[in-house]
Amino acid sequence: MMDQQLQIFVTVAEKKSFSRAAEEHHMTQPAVSQYIRQFEDEIGVRLLERTNKYVRLNKAGEIVFHHAKEILALYTKMQNLVDDLANKASGPLSIGASYTFGEYVLPRIIANLKQIYPDIQPTVTIGNTATIADLVASHQLDIGIVEGKFNAAKLIVEDFAEDTMVIVSTANHPLARHKKPLEMADLEHETWIVREHGSGTREAMDNLFEQHGILPTRLMDFSSTQPIKESVEAGLGISLLSHWSIQKELKNGDLRILDVAGLPYRRKFSTLTNTPFQSKALEVFIDILRTNKLLTTLK
């Protein structure tokens, strides 16, 4: 009973409406109201502020909502693990990935997964490294695939592939015509097109600057890789990007890898999980990650 109350409460909070929650759960609006009243009675405080114009969480409601999401995720995970004892790999699998891996590597791996295990139902969340780590920690994702530093508390971390990163410019950039290798100091005053703080790619770039003792001041921030590539192609500046993310642009001649001493920069891709108990769906997905030939090109 409690799990149904939790689910209805979460839906009301997310939809900000009793009527829309009733539609979602195929119930009447009075029935939803009754569930919420019973739930608030059991908790001992009001959780929702209601008027004719809105329904919204109060302070207590925000606390309960945050934990209700985790409880429901754990409940689903428990049920899937129990179901797995009698069944083959199937059912939902929630995967989170940072932008580089999620946009340029993961789609092919999921295609491979679905070909071998058609009954697994993957869903994918793409975000920066910090966001994905937090979602795994709160049980809202079964697994995260990230690079760079993150809050590893409560997480099980395993490195499984290596990525190489290079500095790129547009094909006709003056730096691309240098015949001798460039030094990082030669690039300090260039405009750098960078990812936002919290992303693994931004961390790699900051690490590279620190290693070479430079402090570029002309930075343009973007929240994903695609607009960075397009900005570099347009001649707005240079960037440090995963070799995996620029395959098409290199092939088409739209981007050029700059010959810079000390590069490529290398970093690890890691898997993040939050429990030693794995569903069969998660188990086979991790096996595919570890053994997929696609990833040998990352090493």
Side-chain angles (χ1 to χ4, degrees), residues 17 22 33 50 61 63 82 98 173 178 219 224 244 265 269:
S17 166
S33 297
R50 312 159 173 83
I63 293 170
V82 171
S98 57
H173 195 288
H178 271 248
L219 304 178
S224 67
W244 194 260
Y265 179 93
F269 279 126

Side-chain angles (χ1 to χ4, degrees), residues 75-85 90-93 142 279-280:
Y75 185 88
T76 301
K77 185 177 291 186
M78 176 191 71
Q79 190 64 57
N80 290 338
L81 286 166
V82 171
D83 290 344
D84 277 347
L85 294 176
S90 63
L93 176 64
D142 294 320
S279 68
K280 286 188 180 178

Side-chain angles (χ1 to χ4, degrees), residues 102-202:
E103 292 180 334
Y104 300 101
V105 186
L106 187 58
R108 299 186 196 186
I109 290 176
I110 289 180
N112 188 6
L113 175 75
K114 289 293 289 181
Q115 186 175 18
I116 303 170
Y117 302 100
D119 293 330
I120 293 177
Q121 300 149 16
T123 57
V124 176
T125 299
I126 306 294
N128 67 30
T129 290
T131 298
I132 296 301
D134 288 344
L135 289 172
V136 175
S138 62
H139 302 281
Q140 294 182 59
L141 291 172
D142 294 320
I143 185 170
I145 303 165
V146 300
E147 74 284 337
K149 293 180 182 177
F150 45 86
N151 182 3
K154 301 194 298 183
L155 296 175
I156 300 168
V157 182
E158 180 182 337
D159 294 339
F160 72 97
E162 188 176 73
D163 184 21
T164 57
M165 303 188 73
V166 291
I167 296 175
V168 295
S169 71
T170 186
N172 59 6
H173 195 288
L175 291 172
R177 294 195 287 269
H178 271 248
K179 294 183 180 180
K180 294 183 179 180
L182 296 158
E183 298 293 330
M184 282 296 297
D186 298 328
L187 310 179
E188 184 168 15
H189 300 295
E190 295 295 321
T191 298
W192 287 81
I193 316 298
V194 301
R195 283 287 307 280
E196 81 287 0
H197 288 290
S199 81
T201 298
R202 178 60 177 269

Side-chain angles (χ1 to χ4, degrees), residues 215-241:
L215 190 64
T217 56
R218 296 164 62 187
L219 304 178
M220 293 179 61
D221 288 38
F222 288 93
S223 60
S224 67
T225 301
Q226 192 60 37
I228 290 178
K229 292 193 296 182
E230 291 174 5
S231 297
V232 174
E233 284 181 39
L236 292 178
I238 62 177
S239 188
L240 178 74
L241 292 173

